[in-house]
Amino acid sequence: MKSLLHGRLGTASGFTLGAVLLLAVAPAVLPAFNLGLLGKFLCFAIVAVGIGLAWGRGGMLTLGQGVFFGLGAYIMAMHMKLADASLFGGSGVPDFMSLYGSGEVPGWWEPFRSPAVTLLAVVLVPGLVALVLGLAIFKRRVKGAYFAILSQALAAAFAVLLIGQQATTGGSNGLNGFRSFFGFDLQDPNNKLMLYMIAAVVLLLSLALARQLMHSRFGELLVAVRDQEERVRFLGYDPATVKTVIYVVAAVLAGVAGALFVPLVGIISPADVGVIPSIAFLIGVAIGGRATLLGPVLGAVCVAAAQSGLSSTFPSFWVYFQGLLFVLVIGFMPGGLASLPSLVGRWRRTLPAAPLPAAPGPEAPDPNVEVKTTKPEEVSR
């Protein structure tokens, strides 16, 4: 009982500290530009939380999270373009459709004029796509490298599809030039601060959801499926259903992160949802520690920050450095940076113990001091 209470107090303290750092300290210390960058990194961290659940706890190497990230992002971008066209253009037709298309809004765009439909679609569309893919893949017992390659192929196909739809998705240029977000002016610094706050709160809620799943019976079943799938099947559980559920959760988190990414960054294009971004999501999780709660978040933020700084200074070297870092972590530190304290403790235990100092012996007599002896006859007296 004491250990349970201590664990809950520690968790509450950790979440409180995280909330104070993200919601109070960061806005007070960072300038507006850096705060916007941090909001972008938090979007990547939300995706990393889902990957940590699917890969770290479920053993599914998800190389295609860019698909769900892109679905949420493009849904939000379509709503914002339609809203801007109605508020500032008056015609209700996004500007790029007049340049590259027929000047008419496609029928499948029209539902996203509604803010309520957009918010529901951001959650439901990635979840439904993941549900269909999960049932189709896991029911056929596709796993391991085959699942990783298949998910990566889906990300590549999704990016190619977006590039080929110049008149409806902006093609390789993507969707950009947003001016409002649900009626709020994106140029207002207060509204930019509000977007950052929303991203920070969503990240904290995602961590709370991940912790609840990890410490629930479902989390234990998920780990059992990862380690002994056939034994779980013999016990009467369907591993495909368990995998599909956590795959849908990871997809929903990625879709929400993509929807927040668009107003924070101001652009979404196929370059943000293809194979390379999907691998970048995975690298952050691997570096941070995929089996822990905070490891994926810290790893995603650190990798995104390093990419933002180093890619501008060494544009041709960053990709190789990223790949080398991933190989080193997987090969020599599979648990990521989160396992570093335990590795240091294990290394210390393997070191030979220092020899103990010898016990002090009798002191040698000082030759300059005269030692007085007692004769036997003096004792008898």
Side-chain angles (χ1 to χ4, degrees):
M1 189 65 181
K2 289 183 179 181
S3 61
L4 179 61
L5 182 61
H6 185 269
R8 290 181 177 178
L9 289 176
T11 302
S13 301
F15 274 98
T16 303
L17 178 61
V20 170
L21 291 176
L22 291 176
L23 301 177
V25 176
V29 173
L30 297 178
F33 177 77
N34 292 337
L35 193 65
L37 277 180
L38 180 58
K40 172 185 173 181
F41 301 158
L42 295 185
C43 294
F44 297 154
I46 296 171
V47 182
V49 172
I51 297 177
L53 289 172
W55 183 29
R57 309 293 288 188
M60 295 175 287
L61 187 59
T62 55
L63 289 173
Q65 290 303 100
V67 174
F68 309 114
F69 183 83
L71 287 173
Y74 269 90
I75 289 171
M76 182 58 69
M78 287 189 289
H79 168 74
M80 294 173 67
K81 293 298 288 185
L82 291 172
D84 288 349
S86 299
L87 291 174
F88 304 102
S91 62
V93 180
D95 49 5
F96 75 94
M97 289 185 179
S98 301
L99 293 174
Y100 305 119
S102 60
E104 297 180 357
V105 179
W108 57 277
W109 270 63
E110 290 295 340
F112 302 116
R113 291 188 185 273
S114 170
V117 172
T118 300
L119 293 176
L120 287 175
V122 164
V123 176
L124 294 179
V125 171
L128 290 176
V129 172
L131 178 63
V132 174
L133 290 176
L135 292 176
I137 294 173
F138 300 130
K139 288 293 184 181
R140 289 172 173 78
R141 302 187 182 183
V142 177
K143 57 183 178 180
Y146 299 102
F147 170 75
I149 294 172
L150 181 58
S151 61
Q152 190 176 47
L154 291 173
F158 182 61
V160 171
L161 176 64
L162 293 174
I163 293 174
Q165 303 297 319
Q166 181 79 21
T168 55
T169 64
S172 58
N173 297 324
L175 301 178
N176 53 63
F178 309 110
R179 302 173 63 182
S180 65
F181 177 73
F182 291 101
F184 295 95
D185 185 8
L186 287 178
Q187 301 304 318
D188 190 344
N190 293 326
N191 294 334
K192 292 182 179 181
L193 176 61
M194 176 192 67
L195 287 171
Y196 166 78
M197 291 291 189
I198 293 174
V201 170
V202 172
L203 174 60
L204 292 173
L205 293 176
S206 302
L207 286 172
L209 174 63
R211 186 191 180 280
Q212 183 63 30
L213 289 174
M214 286 182 178
H215 293 82
S216 64
R217 295 188 63 183
F218 177 80
E220 296 177 356
L221 183 60
L222 184 63
V223 174
V225 170
R226 179 195 66 188
D227 297 337
Q228 295 291 338
E229 182 173 338
E230 293 301 325
R231 184 173 297 180
V232 171
R233 184 177 287 109
F234 292 153
L235 292 175
Y237 295 98
D238 186 3
T241 303
V242 178
K243 290 183 176 182
T244 302
V245 170
I246 207 64
Y247 189 53
V248 170
V249 172
V252 170
L253 291 178
V256 172
L260 292 172
F261 177 86
V262 172
L264 280 167
V265 179
I267 185 174
I268 185 65
S269 68
D272 300 316
V273 303
V275 174
I276 294 178
S278 299
I279 296 177
F281 292 148
L282 201 73
I283 290 175
V285 175
I287 291 174
R290 64 182 185 268
T292 60
L293 181 63
L294 292 179
V297 173
L298 299 178
V301 172
C302 291
V303 170
Q307 181 178 5
S308 178
L310 296 179
S311 60
S312 58
T313 307
F314 308 100
S316 60
F317 177 73
W318 164 249
V319 177
Y320 300 102
F321 175 76
Q322 195 177 36
L324 177 63
L325 190 62
F326 181 70
V327 171
L328 291 177
V329 169
I330 294 298
F332 299 97
M333 200 161 48
L337 296 178
S339 64
L340 191 59
S342 61
L343 290 177
V344 172
R346 192 182 310 165
W347 176 71
R348 286 181 176 180
R349 289 193 296 269
T350 57
L351 291 177
L356 295 175
E363 296 183 358
D366 191 348
N368 298 322
V369 178
E370 182 180 356
V371 180
K372 184 178 181 180
T373 59
T374 304
K375 296 180 179 181
E377 55 271 15
E378 295 180 354
V379 175
S380 60
R381 293 177 190 171

